[in-house]
Amino acid sequence: VQVKVPISATIPPSDYIILGGSGDLSTRKIVPALFWRFLDGQINKSFNIFLCSRRDTSVEDLEPKVPDEVLKIRKKSRPAWQDFKKLIKIIKIDVSSGLGAEVLKFEITKKAALNRPIIFYLALSSELFGKSCELIKNQGLNLPQSRIVIEKPLGKDRSSAKKINDEIGAYFNESQIYR
């Protein structure tokens, strides 16, 4: 039975970029959340999911890290998981040096349009948020339709949180930042 998605929950075709894509936050929380949206019909084959990792890895390498309950809760979710995996591309990027960022730029610019949101999820240490935003800007990917999603808490204390917020704000408007 296909679930009818309410109009209020309709999402335009988008590009999701998860920096830190092979890490714990990505594999245990973000990828499963995107999978649920796929099962609900909110994400389809017109979407892209880019998992950016500093290590050479594959979707198959990451699959054991995804919680078993994600694949078991809904009936027939294993075939859906196979379809969902087709949306995922792994891109090797070193946020600190920028190596590999041109591959991400190439992939995103294939479909870039003002009506196609680009969501960057920073699933890595908050100390790398500024570097990540700088990399995104240097690749020309801080477009009007770009958004940055970051997890709280930021930093170790008020001072480091302010520094991180200032670094992010140097590259993105406040309206583009989701905390």
Side-chain angles (χ1 to χ4, degrees):
V1 170
Q2 177 79 18
V3 176
K4 180 89 171 133
V5 177
I7 291 174
S8 62
T10 302
I11 303 165
S14 307
D15 292 314
Y16 292 97
I17 300 93
I18 305 169
L19 295 171
S22 63
D24 192 55
L25 176 60
S26 175
T27 56
R28 288 187 339 101
K29 300 293 183 183
I30 302 168
V31 170
L34 293 172
F35 180 53
W36 292 127
R37 294 178 88 180
F38 178 79
L39 287 173
D40 286 340
Q42 292 179 305
I43 293 177
N44 58 47
K45 65 183 179 181
S46 62
F47 287 71
N48 290 315
I49 299 170
F50 300 103
L51 301 182
C52 300
S53 173
R54 64 188 155 129
R55 288 183 223 99
D56 276 323
T57 191
S58 69
V59 177
E60 287 72 28
D61 292 338
L62 300 178
E63 195 167 356
K65 294 181 177 183
V66 175
D68 285 342
E69 60 269 16
V70 170
L71 301 175
K72 292 178 184 172
I73 289 176
R74 294 197 182 186
K75 292 179 181 179
K76 301 182 183 178
S77 65
R78 286 206 185 272
W81 178 255
Q82 298 306 314
D83 290 338
F84 175 73
K85 286 192 327 183
K86 293 175 187 172
L87 305 179
I88 299 173
K89 293 181 183 99
I90 307 283
I91 298 176
K92 184 177 177 183
I93 292 180
D94 184 321
V95 169
S96 296
S97 70
L99 288 174
E102 67 283 348
V103 176
L104 178 62
K105 178 180 181 174
F106 174 77
E107 290 292 336
I108 291 175
T109 55
K110 283 182 190 178
K111 294 184 179 180
L114 279 175
N115 63 347
R116 185 179 179 89
I118 302 169
I119 298 102
F120 293 94
Y121 203 114
L122 305 185
L124 30 73
S125 171
S126 61
E127 288 81 25
L128 293 173
F129 286 2
K131 267 291 196 199
S132 299
C133 292
E134 179 183 18
L135 177 136
I136 292 164
K137 176 159 185 351
N138 288 344
Q139 291 299 315
L141 297 173
N142 63 334
L143 303 165
Q145 69 272 27
S146 296
R147 302 293 180 263
I148 296 290
V149 179
I150 55 177
E151 291 282 327
K152 288 183 175 182
L154 296 178
K156 298 177 177 114
D157 54 26
R158 185 181 180 118
S159 172
S160 61
K162 182 178 179 343
K163 180 179 182 262
I164 292 166
N165 274 314
D166 290 347
E167 289 173 346
I168 295 167
Y171 301 105
F172 288 90
N173 297 325
E174 188 61 33
S175 63
Q176 294 177 292
I177 303 168
Y178 292 81
R179 292 178 183 81

